[in-house]
Amino acid sequence: MAGIDYTSLIPNNVSLHENRRLQRALEDWQPKFLEWWNDMGPLGFQAKETYLRTAVSVDAKGWAQFDYIRMPEYRWGIFLAEPEPGRQINFGDHKGQPAWQEVPGEYRGTLRRLIVTQGDTEPASVEQQRHLGRTCPSLYDLRNIFQVNVEEGRHLWAMVYLLDAHFGRDGREESEALLQRRSGDADKPRILGAFNEKTPDWLSFFMFCFFTDRDGKYQLASLAESGFDPLSRTCRFMLTEEAHHMFVGEAGIMRIVQRACELMREHKTDDLRKHGGIDLPTMQRYLNFHCSVSLDLFGSEISTNAANFYTMGLKGRFEETKKTDDHLLKQATYPVAELDGERIVSRDEPALVSLNERLRDDYVADCARGVARWNEVIRKHGIDFELTLPHRAFHRAIGSFAELRVSPDGRIISQAEWDARHRDWLPTEDDKEYIQSLMQPVTEPGRFASWIAPPARGINGHPVDFEYVRLG
Ligand code: BYC
């Protein structure tokens, strides 16, 4: 691949042209990435021109340039947020020392693992969403999923940049392994549970963007506090893109709720399956599933890993620098949900080992605000139904509640009750079959599938019926 002009091919603000070693590592990796993208990226649309946003610099003007582009020609760039002069480590044992510009030797393994875990989720989500283009509910939505996919690809580049630039041969090996694991593969699965689940339909996709990308927001925000400055700056820029993914999720669900309400009013029935809509109880079951698998992504309630990440100065709390405590947390406590006999109670635990739970709390509060906005749409239609977040102990596979059977309202129940009732709480085979039956592509500009309302506005000032993907 010698001779490629990397400065123009890979937009970057890391002076790539000055770093021969890094340039060589990326030259070696780039064709492998493209091979992975062609094998595992969006199926069937690689040659179609799509109206995409590309970041060409980190300033307000440059990070959102829109144009038609074929996805394999997307310019996956490497961007770090602008440096903060004199930035210090803001928490843990090294608090007050200058932020690290190079990997601190004693934390090398831990830091690498954090970066690899973050990086692994990015290609995983592209793999999970690979087939969805073929059943898009509109050209507008088709463009949005491709935007999300290319940006997840860019987030993979962001982590590979850190690995290649700062971790030598180990880093290069990890960069390769990121392209070799596969979502859902029995032999070489992705690292975290939620990224091995299927995303077989668009309801799941929107739920994934709302719940799972929001885990991304909170994890990235914690890593943006890192004392390792290149990681902090990388994550800060990734967060600007992540916001769009959560918008796609929240607005997508909002539009499905809107359509459900319109159909309920029009036909004076809750039974929308006759009318091509998605009924609210089905949405609740999908919500329960995606919320619970995303709650698992925060790790165990009590975690010495999390305490170590913090004490070492590698991963902070959400909005660490806005907090007014000592940023050491050696004496502090934090209330954690725990099992006490037959009940779930809140008990004060040492704050350091409770950091996963604390981040989960920030996340749950954010999710609740989105759910309240969906409920506002239902209320405005005069319909007596509320979507709710399931209890945090419901359907968990990681942490203190993993072995329990818990109802969405937080009651510990017997296996017999679970067997009798779980079909009310999680998507059933029947639900999945029905949702699948709705997944018929709609590709005429300005038209939308029966089960989703059009968005309030189009993209970058264009009308809703703009030709967001040129299929002809
Ligand atoms: N699945 O002490 P524990 C995103 C493992 S999403 C499988 O409880 P810890 C995105 C854990 O690795 C954000 N295994 O957990 C969204 C550990 O293994 P070892 C991704 C799990 O370490 C949408 C053991 O269980 N970023 O960006 O405190 C689209 C005990 O662990 C799981 C990050 O996750 C699980 N769910 O915390 C695209 C940030 N949970 O050490 C992208 C980086 C735990 O015994 N990662 N385990 O072998 C981290 O900060 C931490 O690794 C975790 C886990 C928060 C994930």
Side-chain angles (χ1 to χ4, degrees):
M1 295 301 286
I4 288 182
D5 177 2
Y6 270 78
T7 324
S8 61
L9 185 68
I10 307 176
N12 70 89
N13 67 350
V14 294
S15 305
L16 203 52
H17 61 286
E18 288 173 11
N19 188 338
R20 290 291 306 148
R21 199 183 50 77
L22 176 59
Q23 200 169 314
R24 267 201 303 277
L26 290 173
E27 279 172 5
D28 189 46
W29 188 77
Q30 197 230 19
K32 296 173 190 159
F33 167 81
L34 277 179
E35 199 183 320
W36 166 83
W37 179 268
N38 284 321
D39 287 352
M40 298 311 295
L43 186 65
F45 294 89
Q46 301 283 358
K48 305 294 178 196
E49 292 187 330
T50 305
Y51 188 69
L52 290 178
R53 175 180 79 179
T54 305
V56 295
S57 68
V58 294
D59 53 46
K61 253 172 120 187
W63 85 270
Q65 294 219 341
F66 287 86
D67 206 353
Y68 281 104
I69 190 166
R70 293 184 184 86
M71 281 182 279
E73 290 156 19
Y74 183 83
R75 293 160 75 210
W76 282 283
I78 299 172
F79 295 108
L80 277 60
E82 293 299 335
E84 274 175 36
R87 181 167 181 266
Q88 296 188 337
I89 300 167
N90 294 314
F91 58 90
D93 285 352
H94 303 278
K95 181 170 166 267
Q97 296 173 11
W100 297 297
Q101 299 306 324
E102 294 301 329
V103 176
E106 69 271 41
Y107 303 149
R108 195 181 169 82
T110 310
L111 193 53
R112 192 183 68 206
R113 205 180 93 197
L114 275 172
I115 294 171
V116 166
T117 307
Q118 176 63 48
D120 189 70
T121 62
E122 316 290 358
S125 69
V126 175
E127 292 166 1
Q128 287 171 298
Q129 296 161 15
R130 162 157 219 260
H131 296 279
L132 290 175
R134 295 199 294 198
T135 57
C136 64
S138 72
L139 275 192
Y140 166 90
D141 291 291
L142 186 62
R143 177 265 168 208
N144 277 350
I145 195 172
F146 293 162
Q147 183 72 52
V148 169
N149 292 158
V150 292
E151 284 175 354
E152 301 301 7
R154 205 201 69 73
H155 292 180
L156 171 61
W157 273 84
M159 292 301 121
V160 163
Y161 160 73
L162 291 173
L163 291 168
D164 284 1
H166 295 281
F167 292 86
R169 177 204 280 255
D170 294 356
R172 291 194 294 279
E173 281 171 14
E174 293 286 13
S175 298
E176 301 237 334
L178 284 166
L179 296 175
Q180 282 155 9
R181 287 186 286 274
R182 291 285 181 271
S183 174
D185 189 297
D187 299 326
K188 41 182 174 80
R190 292 295 175 181
I191 296 171
L192 298 174
F195 293 90
N196 289 304
E197 298 286 349
K198 286 200 161 64
T199 312
D201 57 69
W202 281 75
L203 176 57
S204 303
F205 167 67
F206 290 129
M207 290 287 180
F208 180 96
C209 290
F210 182 84
F211 286 107
T212 309
D213 277 279
R214 194 174 308 275
D215 168 55
K217 167 182 165 184
Y218 281 84
Q219 299 295 343
L220 289 174
S222 306
L223 294 173
E225 302 289 344
S226 182
F228 178 51
D229 207 41
L231 175 61
S232 163
R233 290 174 56 203
T234 299
C235 291
R236 267 186 276 151
F237 184 66
M238 288 164 77
L239 281 164
T240 54
E241 291 164 324
E242 203 67 37
H244 171 255
H245 306 181
M246 284 177 298
F247 159 79
V248 168
E250 180 171 335
I253 299 295
M254 181 95 83
R255 289 161 51 212
I256 304 177
V257 168
Q258 164 90 24
R259 185 70 186 134
C261 294
E262 288 166 4
L263 288 169
M264 285 165 84
R265 294 273 299 258
E266 186 184 330
H267 299 285
K268 301 195 173 33
T269 175
D270 297 347
D271 182 7
L272 299 187
R273 296 200 178 186
K274 286 203 284 282
H275 305 289
I278 304 182
D279 52 282
L280 298 174
T282 300
M283 295 194 68
Q284 179 68 59
R285 287 191 285 278
Y286 275 72
L287 184 162
N288 289 346
F289 174 78
H290 286 273
C291 182
S292 55
V293 297
S294 302
L295 287 173
D296 275 340
L297 291 172
F298 290 82
S300 307
E301 288 72 13
I302 301 295
S303 164
T304 49
N305 282 346
N308 290 337
F309 299 155
Y310 189 84
T311 308
M312 294 169 175
L314 302 180
K315 182 180 175 191
R317 289 171 291 177
F318 182 63
E319 300 191 327
E320 180 71 44
T321 46
K322 292 193 186 159
K323 301 196 191 300
T324 53
D325 54 24
D326 66 2
H327 303 277
L328 301 172
L329 305 182
K330 304 237 184 219
Q331 312 302 328
T333 60
Y334 190 80
V336 175
E338 282 174 15
L339 185 63
D340 180 14
E342 292 296 286
R343 290 179 321 137
I344 295 167
V345 297
S346 173
R347 193 174 288 141
D348 280 349
E349 293 290 349
L352 271 179
V353 289
S354 310
L355 286 166
N356 285 344
E357 185 68 353
R358 182 176 199 138
L359 194 60
R360 193 167 10 241
D361 283 344
D362 292 328
Y363 167 84
V364 169
D366 198 16
C367 290
R369 288 189 284 273
V371 174
R373 287 189 285 272
W374 297 336
N375 282 330
E376 190 55 24
V377 174
I378 304 177
R379 198 189 57 75
K380 279 197 179 135
H381 282 82
I383 291 165
D384 184 20
F385 188 95
E386 266 204 359
L387 293 165
T388 51
L389 291 176
H391 190 276
R392 69 181 63 214
F394 170 75
H395 188 238
R396 291 288 302 281
I398 298 279
S400 349
F401 308 116
E403 304 300 321
L404 291 180
R405 293 299 190 191
V406 179
S407 64
D409 60 3
R411 276 180 311 112
I412 297 175
I413 57 174
S414 63
Q415 183 65 38
E417 184 172 354
W418 174 266
D419 291 343
R421 304 241 9 228
H422 73 89
R423 283 173 213 84
D424 297 337
W425 299 331
L426 289 169
T428 61
E429 286 313 311
D430 196 37
D431 292 339
K432 292 179 195 169
E433 226 169 85
Y434 174 66
I435 299 296
Q436 213 41 256
S437 77
L438 293 178
M439 297 297 120
Q440 305 298 333
V442 177
T443 54
E444 196 183 306
R447 274 200 55 222
F448 288 81
S450 64
W451 49 271
I452 189 164
R457 60 187 67 82
I459 289 149
N460 195 30
H462 289 292
V464 167
D465 63 1
F466 185 71
E467 194 179 12
Y468 288 105
V469 187
R470 289 177 174 152
L471 295 180

